[in-house]
Amino acid sequence: MPSPDTTLAALCPACCRLVPELGPADAADDIAAVLSRHPQQAARYPFLADLAAVEQAIARAAGAALPHQVERLTINPSLELVAVQWSRLPELARGGEARPEPWQGFVLIYQRPDSGELVVREAGGHDLLALKIVSEELDPAEAARQGGVTVGEIDHILYGAGQLGLLLAPPPLLVRDADFPRGVITDPERFTARVFTLQWHVTQACDLHCRHCYDRSDRTPMALDRAIRVLDDLRDFCQAHHVMGQVSFTGGNPLLYPHFNELYREAADRGFLTAILGNPMPRQRIEEILAIRRPEFYQVSLEGLRDHNDYIRGRGHFDRILAFLDVLRELDIYSMVMLTLTRANMDQVLELAELLRGRTDLFTFNRLAMVGEGAALASAPVDRFPAFLADYMAAAEQNPCMGLKDNFFNLLLHRQDRPLKGGCAGFGCGAAFNFVSLLPDGEVHACRKLPSLIGNIYDQPLAEIYHGRAAQRYRRGSAACSDCGIRPLCGGCLAVSYGFGRDIFTEPDPYCFRSMAAEQE
């Protein structure tokens, strides 16, 4: 095997481009001696020594081997950290035209673990802090204390360094069981959740009384100190499973929880993504939330056009929602509108979607779960559902606010040999997989839309609940889906099946047109 070329011409092409006198006879590892023989050029380009150091580091990083997987947060082993006294050297090293200026700092050079692309850039303060925390094995909470910041800020710095490839992170541990049906879906990302959501019903208090409400029971909300301990438990769970955490606050109307602002701030301080599923509120109230952290989204509900919506949710609700959507847009908050699909509003959906064009960022629907007060309403006709999906999907191609949330869109897309979507929760039915629901009194359910108790946060830590037998059963879903090729992005809706009186662990969702076709055969 020939010896590697270690000359300046081979390792430092940018230096040689600037100073043609440098070349094959000069050794790159003795750049100072080389430059001493070219005093005029060294004076003209005083940054050459630093540029040569950067280029040599590029060669070393390009030849480094990366591990397939790590067990804990680790500094990228290909990383070269070069101290420099001049700016804009990465641009010169990449063959660009730049005019370096005096600057004290560092240049980062490393391979991206996902693509093998070589990154060459000046280090920022967050980069260096992330490297310090990992290299010195500092606990993020201690690093936060030393820096006078929240642990959430530290977590986000570490997470960001991982996203950039500067740090290597362990793989997420929320993975579908090995025997979960693969079928036509082979992409490992479809089986691995990187974000875990706690859908937290912080209060049953509500300023509405909707005709399809799943639960109007009286449940005592948590005291603030106990609720904060839930956030700490959630953070421990996410850290242990190497996932990002999200808290979606809902209710009732979550903003009626007496300590909402304090709890929202505590969630933000721990680095969680935050979202709100609630009702229209005064602008000032939303501005208070914005002062803490902009939510990932704010979701409200409409149940059809004005008359039908107000029959379900109360007089004047439709107009309040439209006005509130305008407020959210003015405040630059991502807005979502959810509709509960029933027999009565099925023919209003497309007209409502058109009315919402340009007014909301996302419009979706859930099928009615005939649970609680919703049992008094009529579900959408099963035999009309496939055609409804097709009409909705055709309209969505022309209306950017329309989302394909129902799992059975994937069944339709699969039949048309088109790319599949994430379904209801990004993984088809995500009950007890990438989300759980926490009720005000500590009960944890696989899904809020049906009785699906899997534990109580007062009695068990979240990790124990998540890995318990009850959660595993809901996570697996119905055995009727076990041979379906698109199961990882479908699974029907357990809540809908429950409302129809079906055995949710053995029978298919009544709207599954794959099952209907099989029955007809």
Side-chain angles (χ1 to χ4, degrees):
M1 178 180 291
S3 301
D5 191 342
T6 59
T7 62
L8 273 170
L11 299 183
C12 304
C15 290
C16 293
R17 186 180 74 250
L18 291 171
V19 185
E21 292 87 347
L22 308 179
D26 296 315
D29 61 356
D30 195 11
I31 185 66
V34 173
L35 292 176
S36 69
R37 298 196 296 272
H38 304 280
Q40 289 185 330
Q41 301 290 17
R44 183 180 178 186
Y45 302 110
F47 53 82
L48 273 180
D50 279 358
L51 180 58
V54 168
E55 292 200 275
Q56 292 173 61
I58 289 174
R60 291 192 298 271
L66 299 186
H68 175 67
Q69 192 169 295
V70 296
E71 295 183 357
R72 61 178 182 173
L73 204 58
T74 304
I75 294 175
N76 188 322
S78 70
L79 175 67
E80 296 282 340
L81 186 63
V82 182
V84 297
Q85 300 182 54
W86 296 87
S87 67
R88 307 187 70 184
L89 298 181
E91 297 172 56
L92 280 178
R94 287 191 293 264
E97 300 295 331
R99 191 184 300 274
E101 297 178 356
W103 175 73
Q104 296 283 338
F106 295 89
V107 173
L108 302 169
I109 303 105
Y110 59 91
Q111 292 181 43
R112 282 196 63 95
D114 52 357
S115 64
E117 172 194 357
L118 206 62
V119 176
V120 184
R121 62 182 178 85
E122 293 173 351
H126 285 182
D127 298 317
L128 298 176
L129 179 56
L131 293 173
K132 174 182 173 65
I133 290 171
V134 175
S135 65
E136 297 181 8
E137 299 183 351
L138 294 176
D139 178 77
E142 176 58 22
R145 189 192 65 77
Q146 292 182 15
V149 298
T150 67
V151 70
E153 291 177 78
I154 298 297
D155 284 346
H156 272 283
I157 288 171
L158 295 174
Y159 179 79
Q163 292 294 100
L164 293 171
L166 180 59
L167 301 179
L168 303 186
L173 298 182
L174 301 187
V175 183
R176 292 288 194 188
D177 297 339
D179 61 346
F180 204 74
R182 261 52 182 171
V184 299
I185 301 171
T186 57
D187 182 359
E189 290 297 310
R190 297 293 201 177
F191 296 84
T192 305
R194 298 184 177 276
V195 177
F196 179 78
T197 298
L198 182 70
Q199 187 187 76
W200 195 348
H201 298 256
V202 292
T203 180
Q204 294 288 84
C206 191
D207 45 331
L208 302 177
H209 190 145
C210 304
R211 293 177 183 269
H212 59 1
C213 186
Y214 300 122
D215 183 7
R216 296 290 298 183
S217 62
D218 186 18
R219 297 174 184 265
T220 302
M222 290 185 194
L224 179 60
D225 60 344
R226 186 63 185 83
I228 290 173
R229 293 204 297 275
V230 169
L231 294 175
D232 289 333
D233 186 14
L234 175 62
R235 184 173 182 274
D236 289 343
F237 176 89
C238 292
Q239 293 280 309
H241 292 82
H242 313 309
V243 293
M244 174 67 76
Q246 174 170 311
V247 182
S248 293
F249 292 100
T250 184
N253 182 350
L255 274 69
L256 298 183
Y257 176 63
H259 310 294
F260 181 82
N261 282 18
E262 295 93 329
L263 188 59
Y264 188 87
R265 183 184 301 279
E266 293 287 346
D269 285 351
R270 283 159 178 75
F272 296 127
L273 304 173
T274 53
I276 299 172
L277 291 70
N279 299 337
M281 297 296 287
R283 182 188 184 103
Q284 179 181 352
R285 191 75 179 84
I286 306 305
E287 288 175 340
E288 292 174 5
I289 294 169
L290 273 180
I292 301 170
R293 156 88 70 77
R294 184 179 306 279
E296 297 296 307
F297 62 85
Y298 195 119
Q299 178 179 299
V300 293
S301 296
L302 283 174
E303 307 308 336
L305 301 177
R306 180 179 284 102
D307 289 347
H308 180 72
N309 176 82
D310 288 2
Y311 167 74
I312 296 293
R313 291 190 170 265
R315 185 182 300 275
H317 177 266
F318 187 89
D319 291 330
R320 289 198 302 275
I321 286 287
L322 294 188
F324 186 63
L325 290 174
D326 292 341
V327 170
L328 294 178
R329 175 142 297 196
E330 291 168 9
L331 296 176
D332 194 27
I333 296 175
Y334 190 93
S335 67
M336 295 168 57
V337 174
M338 174 65 69
L339 173 141
T340 298
L341 186 70
T342 65
R343 180 185 298 270
N345 67 12
M346 194 174 192
D347 294 327
Q348 300 181 26
V349 172
L350 299 188
E351 187 175 348
L352 177 63
E354 189 59 32
L355 186 149
L356 291 172
R357 180 196 291 265
R359 203 157 199 166
T360 187
D361 295 294
L362 183 65
F363 169 67
T364 57
F365 67 86
N366 279 330
R367 284 173 283 141
L368 172 71
M370 292 184 289
V371 178
E373 296 184 7
L377 301 182
S379 291
V382 171
D383 59 347
R384 290 183 55 200
F385 188 60
F388 168 79
L389 289 184
D391 291 343
Y392 182 100
M393 198 159 65
E397 292 177 358
Q398 306 300 322
N399 188 340
C401 80
M402 296 174 68
L404 308 185
K405 184 176 186 288
D406 192 284
N407 289 334
F408 287 133
F409 279 117
N410 278 326
L411 186 53
L412 191 61
L413 290 167
H414 180 53
R415 285 188 168 186
Q416 298 175 359
D417 197 27
R418 296 169 61 182
L420 304 185
K421 305 293 183 180
C424 181
F427 300 88
C429 178
F433 175 52
N434 65 325
F435 74 87
V436 297
S437 293
L438 174 61
L439 306 192
D441 57 0
E443 285 189 2
V444 180
H445 288 248
C447 174
R448 185 64 183 100
K449 295 194 297 180
L450 79 159
S452 50
L453 184 66
I454 57 176
N456 194 299
I457 207 74
Y458 286 144
D459 304 327
Q460 302 166 276
L462 181 58
E464 188 175 315
I465 295 171
Y466 183 89
H467 293 290
R469 288 186 178 181
Q472 292 174 17
R473 195 178 186 203
Y474 285 102
R475 195 151 51 239
R476 181 158 293 281
S478 175
C481 302
S482 61
D483 65 342
C484 180
I486 67 166
R487 168 63 185 95
L489 295 179
C490 187
C493 178
L494 300 181
V496 170
S497 292
Y498 178 89
F500 271 79
R502 294 202 170 190
D503 183 332
I504 65 174
F505 298 116
T506 62
E507 297 184 87
D509 184 316
Y511 288 87
C512 177
F513 36 101
R514 168 183 176 266
S515 297
M516 285 187 275
E519 291 172 2
Q520 292 170 0
E521 292 175 1

